[in-house]
Amino acid sequence: MEFAHEPVLFYECIKYLNIKEDGVYVDGTLGGGGHAAGICEKLSEKGTLIGIDMDGDALCASEKRLEKYPCRKILAKRNYVEIADILAELGMGRIDGAVLDLGTSSFQLDNPERGFSYMACAPLDMRMDRGSSHCAYDVVNTYTAEALSAVIRKYGEERWASRIGSFIASARREKPIEDTQELVSIIKSAIPASARRDGPHPAKRTFQAIRIEVNDELGQLEKALPAFCDALGERGRLCVISFHSLEDRVVKDVFNTRADPCTCPKNFPACVCGKKADIKKITGKPVVPGNEELDKNTRARSAKLRVVEKRQTEQ
């Protein structure tokens, strides 16, 4: 299957990165290489692109897509949270910029065998790293009803989480739940018909929740964002694209804390904690796709881009 991925907010990302032709840039969520190609196009032979992804299929597809560019390209099958270790192993210092395009790629959603989509029948997988031992089957078939409900409520923000958790636990007493369509059927039976008439697909929130749990997406994001901020050189920029409120909240909170780390009480006349901001926000409100992009790519409708820049070291 072809790894076709339409990069979201592509032009905005490339613009905000302020790419220097001999700089070092990281695509921490390489996917099909859409954003990486835009970066490579602006790099000279002296420039470097580091692409990181846990998905071997993504790395193979991106390697082919990027081979025509003259810059140095280093692709790593790693978790983006390991950025500090990756740079140390490469003997590199600070980077000039990075992009993180969060969530699931179009290829993963459209490839039925990966189990990410509630629209096709596939084994309960949902692993971004196929080498991982923890998959959606484990979550669905081994978590208690209470634990399942908590995951669906927390990561899916699903109002029917308790019923869905209970219905899943009841169904698997007969036999293990093997595939996505079995799970979709159970979810539909748990949600009253009146609540299924409007809004998104009834399984959307539950599938999102299970995927986030399987891949520890929010936990990894909370660790990765500070690490990428640390990795930036002076005036280096970090562009982060999120696709749902939980991701965006993490990005917003980390950036706010980093841009204003002072812990002094608000009524203090001056800061005495000594904590200094090392980044500044380039985008106040998040950048969202325009109508032209939304017409071409409906999956971009919930995307939000936030950008920060590393401050210059005080002399």
Side-chain angles (χ1 to χ4, degrees), residues 290-304:
N291 291 331
E292 185 177 347
E293 179 169 6
L294 292 174
D295 289 341
K296 295 178 181 177
N297 184 7
T298 57
R299 285 176 179 167
R301 63 184 177 272
S302 61
K304 292 181 178 179

Side-chain angles (χ1 to χ4, degrees), residues 6-302:
E6 186 73 25
V8 174
L9 291 164
F10 172 82
Y11 297 103
E12 292 84 351
C13 267
I14 301 304
K15 179 186 75 173
Y16 277 113
L17 279 174
N18 268 353
I19 298 169
K20 299 184 294 187
E21 65 175 15
D22 59 348
V24 178
Y25 294 86
V26 177
D27 187 336
T29 50
L30 188 62
H35 290 106
I39 294 171
C40 288
E41 193 168 9
K42 290 185 173 292
L43 293 177
S44 69
E45 293 181 3
K46 295 181 180 179
T48 301
L49 181 281
I50 301 171
I52 303 169
D53 207 294
M54 294 187 295
D55 191 324
D57 293 338
L59 291 167
C60 289
S62 291
E63 185 175 19
K64 292 179 182 177
R65 182 172 188 169
L66 302 177
E67 63 184 2
K68 64 181 178 181
Y69 298 105
C71 63
R72 182 187 184 198
K73 296 170 288 287
I74 302 170
L75 306 186
K77 188 178 185 298
R78 303 278 287 273
N79 189 318
Y80 69 162
V81 77
E82 301 174 74
I83 181 61
D85 292 337
I86 293 169
L87 292 176
E89 290 164 17
L90 293 171
M92 291 188 172
R94 298 287 179 250
I95 60 176
D96 296 293
V99 59
L100 300 177
D101 182 1
L102 307 175
T104 314
S105 73
S106 298
F107 174 80
Q108 289 168 332
L109 286 170
D110 294 339
N111 189 344
E113 70 181 50
R114 302 298 294 272
F116 286 103
S117 176
Y118 43 79
M119 301 300 290
C121 187
L124 286 170
D125 191 336
M126 300 194 196
R127 293 171 299 169
M128 292 184 180
D129 177 5
R130 284 175 147 178
S132 171
S133 60
H134 188 55
C135 66
Y137 180 94
D138 303 317
V139 174
V140 171
N141 287 288
T142 68
Y143 282 30
T144 65
E146 293 76 17
L148 269 172
S149 298
V151 165
I152 297 166
R153 185 178 300 108
K154 181 178 180 181
Y155 296 146
E157 299 179 300
E158 170 61 72
R159 63 176 294 200
W160 302 103
S162 293
R163 279 177 61 87
I164 294 169
S166 177
F167 273 55
I168 290 173
S170 177
R172 72 193 187 198
R173 291 192 193 104
E174 301 294 325
K175 72 173 195 65
I177 300 167
E178 301 281 354
D179 62 51
T180 53
Q181 289 310 292
E182 285 182 66
L183 181 57
V184 168
S185 179
I186 295 165
I187 294 167
K188 285 182 176 179
S189 67
I191 300 176
S194 59
R196 285 190 266 120
R197 293 194 186 105
D198 301 312
H201 190 286
K204 180 179 180 179
R205 295 186 180 94
T206 298
F207 269 60
Q208 172 184 296
I210 294 171
R211 189 201 80 215
I212 291 173
E213 173 70 10
V214 166
N215 298 288
D216 187 26
E217 291 178 33
L218 298 184
Q220 297 298 319
L221 182 59
E222 287 177 343
K223 296 174 185 176
L225 289 172
F228 270 87
C229 288
D230 289 342
L232 292 174
E234 290 187 1
R235 294 187 177 177
R237 290 187 173 185
L238 172 61
C239 297
V240 183
I241 303 170
S242 61
F243 287 88
H244 56 76
S245 60
L246 297 172
E247 286 176 340
D248 186 57
R249 196 175 305 148
V250 172
V251 178
K252 182 180 177 181
D253 288 348
V254 171
F255 284 176
N256 282 344
T257 300
R258 195 86 178 210
D260 183 15
C262 178
T263 55
C264 297
K266 297 300 181 184
N267 60 351
F268 272 33
C271 173
V272 295
C273 72
K275 295 181 179 178
K276 302 292 184 183
D278 65 345
I279 66 165
K280 64 179 180 180
K281 291 187 280 185
I282 299 301
T283 55
K285 292 182 178 180
V287 178
V288 297
N291 291 331
E292 185 177 347
E293 179 169 6
L294 292 174
D295 289 341
K296 295 178 181 177
N297 184 7
T298 57
R299 285 176 179 167
R301 63 184 177 272
S302 61

